[in-house]
Amino acid sequence: FTGSAFGSAAIWQYESLKSRVQTYFEGARADWLDKIRPQKRGDFRKQVNSWWNNLTEGQRTVTGIIAANVFVFCLWRLPGMRRVMFTYFTSDPSSKALCSPMLLSTFSHFSLFHMAANMYVLWSFSSSIVSLLGCEQFIAVYLSAGVISTFVSYVAKMATGKFEPSLGASGAIMTVLAAVCTKMPEAKLAIIFLPMFTFTAGNALKAIIAFDTAGLALGWRLFDHAAHLGGALFGMWYVTYGHELIWKNREPLVKAWHEMRTKNTGKGGG
């Protein structure tokens, strides 16, 4: 799954860049038409467009992720969907469904507070992580982080024999948080309810890893500490080594895709 995520992201980036170039030239030709074309009415539409355009690239990127989490949260409220939700949207190594919940459970929250807290952290770090990795690479890392953190949770549950269903985006978000804190350790952070107390991102990351390590070792059940720890370690590894090993070696795949696209375009007479 991780290989497919990064391969798709590389192709997506190629297509996005190609589309931007085409849009630029088409937009330059159409500029003079905009001056004589009657403007569309609708204050609400203008307000929505203005709000969207004022968002950073990172905030626009995570809007889709947040929308997916809200949609899944609403599905939990439907009584007829409970059986499906417990089977496919919670991760448990003793369940009959093993693979798909590793991804789907990272978009699943039963508690409104749990979802709101996770989405707030994701929104807060969205601009930093997307400016660091870019939109396409970030999506590949986020999806991979969800699967990898759930896999670490599976391993811990199998090792301890404690089979409990888990859900939530915390593992993937821990990857985002750890990646940003590793790259910008001197950045100042604060707790939402205690904004007067600030601390460096590096110290925050150390405290989080220590807390989840203790929770895993002592068998605390407050959170899925194994998933948190797996996500954090993956985030630290990726920005330190993974970017060089994976993303910077995408050229052969993109070249093969380009040649295939060019060949198909030539056959079509384009």
Side-chain angles (χ1 to χ4, degrees):
F1 175 83
T2 299
S4 298
F6 278 97
S8 300
I11 293 171
W12 176 20
Q13 186 185 61
Y14 166 87
E15 294 293 341
S16 295
L17 291 173
K18 185 177 180 181
S19 176
R20 288 176 190 173
V21 172
Q22 292 174 343
T23 301
Y24 173 79
F25 288 109
E26 290 172 359
R29 281 201 308 267
D31 277 346
W32 68 276
L33 286 174
D34 291 336
K35 297 178 181 178
I36 61 175
R37 184 183 297 134
Q39 296 297 315
K40 295 181 180 179
R41 296 180 179 179
D43 291 336
F44 178 74
R45 183 174 178 179
K46 288 181 180 179
Q47 291 175 358
V48 172
N49 287 336
S50 176
W51 170 79
W52 181 258
N53 292 330
N54 286 330
L55 296 178
T56 65
E57 184 183 9
Q59 290 170 336
R60 288 196 293 267
T61 302
V62 302
T63 297
I65 296 175
I66 294 173
N69 280 269
V70 172
F71 176 72
V72 175
F73 174 78
C74 292
L75 292 180
W76 276 106
R77 313 270 79 80
L78 302 177
M81 290 292 295
R82 286 293 176 88
R83 191 183 193 91
V84 173
M85 301 305 290
F86 274 110
T87 302
Y88 295 102
F89 287 85
T90 63
S91 60
D92 186 349
S94 65
S95 173
K96 65 178 182 180
L98 288 176
C99 294
S100 55
M102 294 176 73
L103 175 65
L104 297 178
S105 64
T106 62
F107 292 88
S108 179
H109 300 83
F110 186 77
S111 164
L112 178 60
F113 178 79
H114 186 199
M115 181 185 71
N118 277 341
M119 295 304 101
Y120 175 80
V121 174
L122 178 61
W123 182 267
S124 300
F125 282 86
S126 60
S127 299
S128 298
I129 191 65
V130 172
S131 65
L132 188 66
L133 300 179
C135 171
E136 299 85 2
Q137 186 181 185
F138 159 70
I139 293 295
V141 170
Y142 186 86
L143 295 177
S144 299
V147 172
I148 290 170
S149 61
T150 306
F151 178 77
V152 175
S153 175
Y154 276 7
V155 172
K157 289 174 182 176
M158 292 293 292
T160 60
K162 298 176 181 178
F163 302 114
E164 297 176 340
S166 301
L167 74 170
S170 303
I173 291 173
M174 282 296 298
T175 293
V176 173
L177 190 151
V180 173
C181 291
T182 300
K183 283 305 244 184
M184 296 181 281
E186 298 303 320
K188 293 295 183 180
L189 302 179
I191 301 173
I192 179 174
F193 300 113
L194 300 169
M196 69 291 296
F197 298 106
T198 60
F199 40 84
T200 65
N203 288 334
L205 181 58
K206 292 174 184 176
I208 290 171
I209 291 177
F211 174 76
D212 284 315
T213 301
L216 182 61
L218 299 175
W220 296 346
R221 297 188 179 185
L222 186 60
F223 304 108
D224 189 339
H225 296 284
H228 288 192
L229 197 58
L233 293 177
F234 175 64
M236 294 168 61
W237 173 83
Y238 187 81
V239 295
T240 305
Y241 305 106
H243 175 76
E244 295 285 337
L245 294 173
I246 300 175
W247 192 249
K248 287 197 173 182
N249 288 317
R250 69 190 185 282
E251 183 180 350
L253 173 63
V254 175
K255 184 177 180 181
W257 178 260
H258 171 74
E259 292 175 351
M260 185 182 72
R261 292 275 276 108
T262 304
K263 187 181 300 184
N264 290 339
T265 302
K267 289 181 179 179

